[in-house]
Amino acid sequence: MSDDVTMDKIVSLSRRRGFVFPSSEIYGGMGSTFDYGHYGVLMKNNIRERWFEAMVRNRDDIVAIDSAVILHPRVWEASGHVAGFTDPLIDCRTCKLRFRADKLEDSSCGRKPSKHPGETPECDLTEPRRFNLMFETTVGALQEEGSRAYLRPETAQGIFINFKNVLQIARRKPPFGIAQIGKSFRNEITPGNFLFRVREFEQMEMEFFVPPDEAEKWYRYWIDERLNWYRRYGLRDSKLRVREHGPDERSHYSQGTSDIEYDYPIGWSELEGIANRGDFDLTQHAEHSTTKLEYVGQDGERYVPYVIEPAVSIERIMVALIVDAYDEEVVGERERTVLRLHPKMAPVTAAILPLIGKSDEMVAKARSLYEDLRRRHSVEYDDGGAIGRRYRRQDEIGTPWAFTVDEQTLQDDTVTVRDRDSLAQERIPIAGVRDWLEDALERDWKSPKGN
Ligand code: ATP
């Protein structure tokens, strides 16, 4: 098995197999913006679904919310984003490129041979200035001062401003959480590395409200929970680590932040952040909106809860999963590319293939199995071309199993199941396929690439 995965290989596979396309390509492209094709959509659905299941459906203490993208502009004043959600920006007067002052080490100068900005004698860098990452827009027909609004740069604020609604209507008591999935927008100075840093992304955030003296305990708890979620879905231990931020690195609201990092082809980088936001957000919104945002117990006890926040984007998970799963190997003198994805993350759970696409009987049996399975699972029917080619197409999109209808099926109503990773084939009765698949999906799974 190979672990020689580059971002280029991932980009090329994603495009070739229709996971992700560069956006607006027929107009020359729009840098660092992507459109998702069929398999990309299916995989994103799986990531979203697995997160929601772990964070909301399987718990008693977390509820969901779906807030607006464009909130009252004062939300972003209260949250500190208008004043402080900035990156330090540097321009080069020579090559006209723009860099993040805190990421010069990771940037390349526009001159050849490429060096870091500031390293060639011709580099003429400006002093750093603060650049706000929020996209501005105007609401209503008039472009006047009062109509300025922002596209949300995080989903969290939509949760804080609904704290009171949830507390009252969902009758919750700390510790409890509110979870949200939705698009966030950031005008990143240096987007790039495929989906890793994009200007619009789908965030999955959960704000967990706790009594202040329990904040540290819950902060540790959520680091463990989230790390275990990644392990459960197959990311290898050797590629995951937790890195605690130093005090100078933390955001303005944070009392403690840890990143779950993944060893991407660009090196160890933040996959997910877990922050102890203290009572910063509720206190700020209470002050700016003059609405009390606190918990009052039946015995009269009252306090502003602290908040623990696990925050991640579907994009960063998707890149980590594909990178972790990507493999190339030679089987019987032929090379194959295979995505060894966790079966519950793979876009297609099973392929149903008639061995001979021109055989009406095989096609009929295969179609009938497909129509039965598709009511519950993401499955694909394919009768085009040589069977080897069809298997390899499924390997490339990470389909864990293929059920093949062949001559023998017509005699005894059994099919073969081919395993994507081991390539082993076994025969099972057609009538048992549905149960077989349910069982297989519930089995513990470990990456065949090892730890
Ligand atoms: P970075 O330091 O990489 O810019 P950040 O610390 O600003 O990230 P947070 O504000 O903590 O990121 O956002 C929470 C999560 O949202 C990140 O862990 C990441 O998964 C995701 N995320 C943030 N910015 C982007 C982006 N531009 N593209 C894709 N995902 C993003």
Side-chain angles (χ1 to χ4, degrees):
M1 286 186 199
S2 103
D3 216 3
D4 179 21
V5 188
T6 59
M7 212 55 125
D8 283 349
K9 285 186 178 177
I10 301 301
V11 174
S12 144
L13 175 84
S14 301
R15 199 206 152 96
R16 191 167 73 242
R17 303 302 345 175
F19 281 76
V20 180
F21 305 112
S23 185
S24 313
E25 228 180 348
I26 59 169
Y27 286 98
M30 167 99 184
S32 297
T33 312
F34 296 92
D35 298 336
Y36 291 85
H38 183 66
Y39 296 129
V41 172
L42 294 179
M43 191 165 171
K44 273 179 34 156
N45 285 349
N46 287 342
I47 296 171
R48 203 183 287 117
E49 190 52 31
R50 302 284 86 78
W51 187 88
F52 194 82
E53 178 178 88
M55 303 299 276
V56 181
R57 205 169 43 237
N58 290 348
R59 299 186 64 104
D60 295 325
D61 54 359
I62 303 181
V63 296
I65 200 148
D66 188 4
S67 73
V69 167
I70 299 175
L71 303 173
H72 194 293
R74 291 192 52 213
V75 168
W76 306 107
E77 285 165 25
S79 68
H81 283 80
V82 171
F85 192 56
T86 56
D87 277 341
L89 174 114
I90 282 184
D91 286 303
C92 176
R93 296 186 191 95
T94 312
C95 69
K96 311 282 181 232
L97 288 183
R98 224 158 228 203
F99 308 102
R100 246 172 86 167
D102 57 338
K103 299 262 180 198
L104 290 183
E105 282 298 299
D106 305 335
S107 313
S108 311
C109 155
R111 292 270 149 140
K112 297 271 180 268
S114 186
K115 293 193 172 174
H116 298 308
E119 285 182 355
T120 75
E122 296 86 37
C123 291
D124 183 7
L125 303 181
T126 61
E127 284 300 306
R129 62 195 163 89
R130 308 301 308 178
F131 174 78
N132 198 301
L133 302 185
M134 283 197 294
F135 279 103
E136 282 182 21
T137 186
T138 43
V139 173
L142 291 177
Q143 284 204 13
E144 57 203 26
E145 182 54 28
S147 60
R148 182 194 296 169
Y150 306 95
L151 302 189
R152 66 179 176 200
E154 61 174 32
T155 63
Q157 300 304 325
I159 295 178
F160 297 128
I161 58 172
N162 278 291
F163 171 77
K164 201 172 161 198
N165 287 336
V166 175
L167 200 64
Q168 286 173 348
I169 290 158
R171 289 179 295 117
R172 296 288 152 172
K173 166 177 189 305
F176 78 97
I178 309 177
Q180 165 149 246
I181 301 177
K183 283 258 172 134
S184 290
F185 304 83
R186 295 183 187 181
N187 198 1
E188 300 276 5
I189 301 171
T190 46
N193 291 316
F194 192 35
L195 301 173
F196 183 83
R197 189 179 301 285
V198 279
R199 293 204 172 96
E200 61 171 274
F201 49 97
E202 195 164 336
Q203 263 190 326
M204 305 196 288
E205 297 194 290
M206 194 278 293
E207 309 302 319
F208 202 69
F209 300 93
V210 301
D213 60 354
E214 292 180 18
E216 182 61 23
K217 178 183 95 184
W218 286 107
Y219 170 58
R220 301 282 154 207
Y221 168 89
W222 280 110
I223 296 172
D224 284 351
E225 276 296 291
R226 295 303 305 147
L227 196 56
N228 286 335
W229 187 86
Y230 290 108
R231 292 190 177 126
R232 191 176 332 140
Y233 291 110
L235 292 189
R236 290 165 293 163
D237 269 341
S238 60
K239 299 281 175 179
L240 282 169
R241 74 178 186 197
V242 175
R243 190 180 66 82
E244 188 131 18
H245 285 204
D248 50 335
E249 211 186 332
R250 286 183 207 144
S251 315
H252 57 283
Y253 51 73
S254 167
Q255 309 237 337
T257 299
S258 289
D259 290 345
I260 296 181
E261 295 189 331
Y262 181 77
D263 187 11
Y264 290 95
I266 51 172
W268 288 99
S269 310
E270 174 175 346
L271 165 59
E272 168 158 353
I274 292 115
N276 174 356
R277 298 178 75 126
D279 61 4
F280 177 83
D281 303 275
L282 290 182
T283 307
Q284 286 291 107
H285 287 302
E287 213 172 273
H288 283 70
S289 68
T290 63
T291 304
K292 278 216 161 91
L293 298 176
E294 58 183 12
Y295 169 71
V296 183
Q298 290 190 329
D299 51 3
E301 170 203 26
R302 60 172 65 216
Y303 60 85
V304 179
Y306 272 32
V307 176
I308 311 301
E309 171 196 80
V312 65
S313 68
I314 292 189
E315 283 74 4
R316 289 208 186 163
I317 298 179
M318 186 151 157
V319 179
L321 287 174
I322 296 181
V323 166
D324 213 72
Y326 187 95
D327 207 357
E328 291 167 350
E329 66 176 4
V330 176
V331 185
E333 292 178 18
R334 298 186 88 150
E335 218 175 86
R336 73 165 182 155
T337 301
V338 52
L339 285 188
R340 303 186 189 278
L341 289 168
H342 187 287
K344 286 191 170 177
M345 290 295 187
V348 176
T349 311
I352 293 91
L353 316 169
L355 181 65
I356 301 168
K358 292 201 174 74
S359 155
D360 290 345
E361 285 167 295
M362 287 186 204
V363 164
K365 288 246 179 227
R367 287 270 338 162
S368 138
L369 177 60
Y370 164 64
E371 278 158 28
D372 177 41
L373 293 178
R374 77 175 174 190
R375 288 185 291 150
R376 286 155 199 263
H377 301 285
S378 166
V379 289
E380 195 167 275
Y381 171 83
D382 183 6
D383 62 14
I387 190 76
R389 277 239 301 283
R390 280 182 272 161
Y391 283 144
R392 273 193 297 285
R393 217 180 295 154
Q394 296 297 333
D395 289 340
E396 279 205 333
I397 61 165
T399 308
W401 301 290
F403 298 105
T404 306
V405 169
D406 56 15
E407 287 292 345
Q408 199 176 325
T409 316
L410 306 180
Q411 283 146 31
D412 65 5
D413 271 332
T414 60
V415 289
T416 62
V417 191
R418 172 190 182 264
D419 184 276
R420 172 196 70 200
D421 298 317
S422 67
L423 296 173
Q425 303 215 13
E426 62 173 307
R427 280 204 94 82
I428 59 170
I430 267 200
V433 168
R434 205 203 280 180
D435 287 345
W436 187 98
L437 197 54
E438 298 284 348
D439 285 351
L441 278 168
E442 291 314 314
R443 274 183 231 137
D444 281 345
W445 191 86
K446 270 208 130 5
S447 169
K449 289 171 81 177
N451 277 321

